[in-house]
Amino acid sequence: MGSDNGEERIQGPCAGREERIFVSVRMRPLNEMEIARNEVTDWECINDSTIVYKNSFAAMRSMYPTSYTFDRVFSCDCSTRQVYEEGAKAVALSVVDGINSSVFAYGQTSSGKTYTMTGITEYTMADIFDYILKHKEREFVLKFSSMEIYNESVRDLLAPDASPLRLLDDPERGTVVEKLTEEILRDWNHLKELLSICESQRQIGETFLNESSSRSHQLLRLTIESSAREFLGKDNSNTLTASVNFVDLAGSERASQALSGGSRLKEGSHINRSLLTLGSVIRKLSKGRNGHIPYRDSKLTRILQSSLGGNARTAIICTISPARIYVEQSRNTLLFASCAKEVSTNAHVNVVMSDKALVFHLQKELARLENQLRSAGYSVRSDAATLLREKDLHIEKLEREVRELILQRDLALSRIQDLQQGEADDKSSMKWEGPDSYYHELHIQQSWGSPNSGESTLAHHLCIGGFQDI
Ligand SMILES: Nc1ncnc2c1ncn2[C@@H]1O[C@H](COP(=O)(O)OP(=O)(O)OP(=O)(O)O)[C@@H](O)[C@H]1O
């Protein structure tokens, strides 16, 4: 899978792909307890995609469907390897091509979620390591993190202290778990070591139905960053970055059936609250993305938001027990699975570009948009040039007007000063000193402006008037 040429993958960095969640159902064999109680198997996988309820007597009296079709169904004798190959591999391994992916296990307690997810996680990781070995032309960085949601608080399974972690809203990355440990994976042994730490840290408790029941929702996350070696350290290098999530949900049963009371009962109510929200998110998404989707009603759905209808490829494996006693739980699981298969996600390749590569990309994008406009009948460049020329002319005209106004203002100011000066002089020579001095004053006043200007005539009159008043 994937492309041998690293640069090929970068061709469509933002080309999103709408596709349905891949939903499969895995039925486990009857367990020892069920065999000891002479339980009968009520379900049968009649082909690769259909599972039927074969208790015809009960089916006749029931309003529920007797046949369910999914992308894939796995009968009791299918191995986890087969479940991986046919139910999860294609989705999970998209991560090496820069596409986010998630694999979930959903089902009642003791139906085989942890059993299935442990295998799926290991097979995926082995294939990823194998892929890396075969693709020497790219450099890979693997980061591993792990958390559990227990009683509606998020815990880091790789951190020694169990204090709850906060969820933050990042405008680009969506919901982010604050201070979550991220280990850079060195090799396969390092991974095994981390997986066993997670296993030992996870909340396990004994319930009536499962002596080592996972009481929390567990999320293991592997983030892969890769760049073509050829471009490493160069300005045009691009990095593909994506995460694969392995989600082992807590049991979806009703508290009364599986739990023993006390703290198990409190866990049950929290588990069910998250799963109830998950159910209603899936139900609403299955009818389209219109309207309010209650992602924020539980930590589980907040963290998984992009895997449920967002930028990710998603596979859900629903696990059921074949036993008659659990027919109600199995039906609920199959109803959940039926809704999930109607949900679409929109995954795209996640490319982180270097600054230069980004500029280059934006230039190309600009050229593409200009072409589009041109073919739609617009001339982008000539329109812009004409507009600029018009603006320049307008600015030039305004500048000329401003210069003219400044000139006129200065002239007016100087005339006002002269007038004031003249008035002051007149007051000081109010005494009549004969016609000579009168004509002398008049002569000075007339020399203020050109003989033809209106202002000079006005000044003349003012002066004469002044004398007349005396
Ligand atoms: N397909 C299978 N084949 C054989 N054994 C299985 C299979 N699935 C589950 N089991 C066994 O059934 C038991 C319960 O499985 P598991 O713990 O995986 O259930 P679960 O759904 O994760 O339960 P819980 O929700 O309580 O954690 C385990 O002992 C497991 O080994």
Side-chain angles (χ1 to χ4, degrees):
M1 59 169 287
S3 150
D4 281 357
N5 175 355
E7 291 318 291
E8 252 176 56
R9 295 195 204 95
I10 297 165
Q11 295 303 309
C14 295
R17 200 172 76 170
E18 183 99 6
E19 68 171 13
R20 295 273 167 95
I21 291 180
F22 190 94
V23 180
S24 55
V25 170
R26 182 185 202 185
M27 181 166 65
R28 69 157 166 76
L30 289 172
N31 64 26
E32 280 175 17
M33 196 163 54
E34 290 158 352
I35 292 169
R37 285 201 311 251
N38 289 324
E39 277 295 334
V40 288
T41 296
D42 256 353
W43 299 90
E44 186 183 352
C45 300
I46 55 162
N47 57 38
D48 279 356
S49 57
T50 310
I51 183 164
V52 294
Y53 183 54
K54 54 179 195 175
N55 180 344
S56 50
F57 178 67
M60 260 169 35
R61 296 188 307 161
S62 160
M63 48 186 246
Y64 293 102
T66 51
S67 166
Y68 298 81
T69 302
F70 300 101
D71 293 305
R72 191 71 175 80
V73 296
F74 300 98
S75 57
C76 330
D77 49 4
C78 285
S79 66
T80 303
R81 174 101 229 171
Q82 195 178 346
V83 177
Y84 166 70
E85 293 286 340
E86 295 168 31
K89 182 174 174 175
V91 167
L93 290 192
S94 308
V95 69
V96 296
D97 284 329
I99 294 172
N100 294 326
S101 61
S102 291
V103 183
F104 289 76
Y106 178 98
Q108 74 164 114
T109 185
S110 85
S111 58
K113 296 181 297 295
T114 306
Y115 182 88
T116 303
M117 282 315 295
T118 307
I120 300 282
T121 307
E122 291 201 4
Y123 290 131
T124 309
M125 298 301 261
D127 275 350
I128 288 173
F129 276 99
D130 194 40
Y131 179 89
I132 291 172
L133 271 180
K134 287 184 185 147
H135 290 79
K136 301 258 190 243
E137 78 283 357
R138 292 186 78 78
E139 186 172 276
F140 292 86
V141 177
L142 307 187
K143 296 174 186 167
F144 181 84
S145 58
S146 167
M147 69 190 102
E148 72 169 350
I149 305 169
Y150 178 64
N151 287 349
E152 275 307 281
S153 66
V154 181
R155 250 176 24 105
D156 188 340
L157 290 175
L158 294 179
D161 83 289
S163 45
L165 303 181
R166 287 196 313 155
L167 299 188
L168 305 176
D169 288 315
D170 183 288
E172 275 178 23
R173 293 182 296 159
T175 302
V176 174
V177 183
E178 192 186 35
K179 295 181 184 159
L180 183 69
T181 309
E182 244 191 355
E183 289 270 351
I184 307 261
L185 270 191
R186 294 189 298 274
D187 50 29
W188 180 256
N189 287 340
H190 188 206
L191 169 72
K192 294 291 279 183
E193 201 183 297
L194 295 174
L195 287 175
S196 73
I197 294 174
C198 298
E199 200 182 333
S200 63
Q201 292 276 321
R202 194 176 176 191
Q203 298 289 334
I204 305 280
E206 186 175 349
T207 67
F208 177 59
L209 299 177
N210 189 352
E211 63 182 24
S212 65
S213 173
S214 317
R215 307 313 308 149
S216 61
H217 308 292
Q218 178 186 256
L219 196 154
L220 307 179
R221 178 175 290 164
L222 178 77
T223 301
I224 304 185
E225 291 171 8
S226 75
S227 319
R229 286 187 197 278
E230 192 188 338
F231 297 102
L232 272 183
K234 296 187 182 154
D235 291 328
N236 57 349
S237 81
N238 289 321
T239 304
L240 294 180
T241 176
S243 302
V244 52
N245 294 314
F246 302 97
V247 189
D248 181 6
L249 296 169
S252 60
E253 66 286 343
R254 276 190 287 127
S256 59
Q257 277 171 313
L259 308 163
S260 331
S263 64
R264 293 285 91 88
L265 199 64
K266 184 182 169 210
E267 284 167 1
S269 66
H270 280 296
I271 291 167
N272 283 359
R273 196 179 116 194
S274 298
L275 287 171
L276 266 176
T277 309
L278 177 66
S280 70
V281 164
I282 292 283
R283 228 179 6 264
K284 293 207 163 150
L285 284 172
S286 69
K287 292 177 188 144
R289 267 177 238 159
N290 314 323
H292 172 67
I293 311 288
Y295 293 112
R296 297 187 74 84
D297 286 2
S298 79
K299 298 245 162 76
L300 178 70
T301 46
R302 261 184 89 182
I303 294 172
L304 295 179
Q305 180 166 350
S306 70
S307 307
L308 304 165
N311 172 20
R313 296 190 72 198
T314 302
I316 299 185
I317 302 165
C318 292
T319 52
I320 60 167
S321 156
R324 177 166 294 172
I325 188 179
Y326 302 129
V327 65
E328 193 195 330
Q329 290 75 23
S330 300
R331 272 198 192 118
N332 285 339
T333 300
L334 295 175
L335 282 177
F336 175 89
S338 302
C339 274
K341 72 178 188 177
E342 301 302 322
V343 176
S344 297
T345 58
N346 194 334
H348 57 252
V349 179
N350 300 292
V351 185
V352 180
M353 291 181 178
S354 68
D355 288 351
K356 269 210 174 159
L358 187 64
V359 168
F360 180 67
H361 173 75
L362 290 174
Q363 279 170 342
K364 265 176 46 181
E365 188 60 13
L366 185 67
R368 189 184 64 79
L369 290 170
E370 281 183 1
N371 273 340
Q372 251 182 23
L373 282 174
R374 235 180 251 117
S375 58
Y378 296 101
S379 167
V380 181
R381 285 196 192 286
S382 65
D383 279 3
T386 312
L387 204 66
L388 274 176
R389 179 92 200 99
E390 278 171 8
K391 291 258 180 248
D392 283 347
L393 287 174
H394 188 60
I395 288 168
E396 270 172 35
K397 186 172 161 249
L398 288 174
E399 279 173 354
R400 268 201 312 277
E401 282 175 13
V402 168
R403 277 200 300 275
E404 186 70 24
L405 283 169
I406 289 172
L407 202 70
Q408 285 183 19
R409 183 201 64 189
D410 290 347
L411 263 173
L413 270 175
S414 105
R415 279 174 196 154
I416 287 168
Q417 277 168 4
D418 286 348
L419 268 174
Q420 285 167 340
Q421 183 61 45
E423 196 178 357
D425 291 348
D426 291 345
K427 278 187 182 152
S428 63
S429 58
M430 263 183 211
K431 283 183 276 162
W432 177 252
E433 289 176 344
D436 285 349
S437 91
Y438 169 68
Y439 286 117
H440 176 70
E441 291 293 334
L442 191 61
H443 173 73
I444 292 168
Q445 299 296 330
Q446 278 176 328
S447 71
W448 286 347
S450 75
N452 300 328
S453 81
E455 283 94 341
S456 90
T457 317
L458 177 67
H460 183 98
H461 282 299
L462 280 172
C463 286
I464 301 294
F467 283 112
Q468 279 174 344
D469 282 347
I470 295 167

